[in-house]
Amino acid sequence: GENVEQHPSTLSVQEGDSAVIKCTYSDSASNYFPWYKQELGKRPQLIIDIRSNVGEKKDQRIAVTLNKTAKHFSLHITETQPEDSAVYFCAASWNTGFQKLVFGTGTRLLVSP
Amino acid sequence: DTAVSQTPKYLVTQMGNDKSIKCEQNLGHDTMYWYKQDSKKFLKIMFSYNNKELIINETVPNRFSPKSPDKAHLNLHINSLELGDSAVYFCASSQEERLAGVLYTGELFFGEGSRLTVL
């Protein structure tokens, strides 16, 4: 069945360090992989996404990489700041005739000053 | 100017009661969703509507009944509330995109969430 695994579940880093979150998906037909950031008490918001026709995408301090063969994709945050502290969700599209997004279990990132 | 708005933001009620949550989007999207986020923060899709038609119905108890009067609105009614229904319910909308002949799910825009507490 549809499944997106996400690791780690929690990640603590010092300000200025890099953070990497990894996800694995099961449907080889998945073609869209967004990452959402959810701050405490707020709604999830898209921070970056990647489609299956590219292997990497970067937007300032965040980047996403996709390995279609291994069905892995990762979020990389460089020069982390305290305001990066949040729960991050990966997701993968699942084609059931109509596409839907299946979310990973989330990673709580804590950036300490 | 809110893109996806849902009401109420908070609901506290007794077991056995019936409650509704309303959602509206002004983005012109064709697809709307209900997601449930439990205490462990897992985001699980419940229902999806495309142009008022139900297209995704996950294994949700039939006490939950979505209704979409038009493509801009998707409401959720819950009968006979149980303790396990306590969660944050997020409405969302998206618009599929076709690029180079390939259909992609569009970005999900979430509402602020409705925190339901069943006592």
Side-chain angles (χ1 to χ4, degrees):
Chain A
E2 64 246 27
N3 193 37
V4 178
E5 293 188 2
Q6 182 172 347
H7 300 281
S9 56
T10 58
L11 181 57
S12 293
V13 299
Q14 293 290 320
E15 185 176 359
D17 287 351
S18 294
V20 180
I21 303 170
K22 299 183 179 183
C23 289
T24 305
Y25 61 99
S26 56
D27 182 12
S28 57
S30 294
N31 64 7
Y32 176 62
F33 307 91
W35 286 87
Y36 283 79
K37 176 184 180 182
Q38 186 178 25
E39 295 176 355
L40 190 62
K42 301 279 181 70
R43 73 188 87 191
Q45 291 193 286
L46 181 76
I47 54 170
I48 194 167
D49 57 10
I50 191 168
R51 295 190 177 97
S52 56
N53 57 346
V54 299
E56 187 172 0
K57 185 175 177 181
K58 192 172 179 182
D59 183 3
Q60 299 183 339
R61 296 186 297 107
I62 58 173
V64 57
T65 57
L66 171 65
N67 181 331
K68 283 190 297 182
T69 304
K71 296 184 199 162
H72 288 168
F73 59 114
S74 301
L75 177 72
H76 304 253
I77 307 174
T78 57
E79 299 170 37
T80 53
Q81 299 166 4
E83 51 265 38
D84 293 331
S85 297
V87 178
Y88 291 81
F89 293 95
C90 63
S93 61
W94 190 272
N95 196 339
T96 59
F98 287 94
Q99 292 212 338
K100 71 176 182 182
L101 283 182
V102 178
F103 283 84
T105 47
T107 296
R108 187 177 298 277
L109 174 64
L110 178 61
V111 181
S112 304
Chain B
D1 274 283
T2 306
V4 181
S5 58
Q6 53 183 109
T7 55
K9 195 168 179 182
Y10 300 99
L11 269 171
V12 181
T13 190
Q14 300 286 331
M15 270 198 310
N17 285 349
D18 304 338
K19 288 293 176 187
S20 292
I21 308 171
K22 295 187 175 184
C23 180
E24 177 180 3
Q25 55 99 359
N26 63 7
L27 297 166
H29 289 167
D30 287 338
T31 307
M32 294 186 73
Y33 311 80
W34 280 109
Y35 277 85
K36 179 180 180 180
Q37 187 170 47
D38 61 22
S39 57
K40 293 182 180 175
K41 300 295 186 188
F42 296 156
L43 266 171
K44 187 89 165 61
I45 190 168
M46 300 172 69
F47 302 102
S48 175
Y49 273 72
N50 181 273
N51 278 309
K52 304 191 299 176
E53 303 270 335
L54 179 66
I55 56 171
I56 294 172
N57 184 348
E58 298 292 294
T59 49
V60 178
N62 57 15
R63 298 181 296 103
F64 290 79
S65 49
K67 275 199 173 50
S68 182
D70 56 60
K71 78 170 196 177
H73 295 84
L74 179 60
N75 303 323
L76 183 65
H77 187 76
I78 316 170
N79 289 326
S80 304
L81 279 158
E82 300 178 357
L83 292 177
D85 297 332
S86 295
V88 180
Y89 292 85
F90 284 100
C91 175
S93 72
S94 72
Q95 183 65 42
E96 290 178 332
E97 304 170 293
R98 189 173 288 278
L99 299 169
V102 179
L103 191 64
Y104 295 98
T105 300
E107 176 184 350
L108 276 184
F109 289 82
F110 285 90
E112 287 187 299
S114 297
R115 181 177 293 278
L116 172 65
T117 304
V118 183
L119 303 174

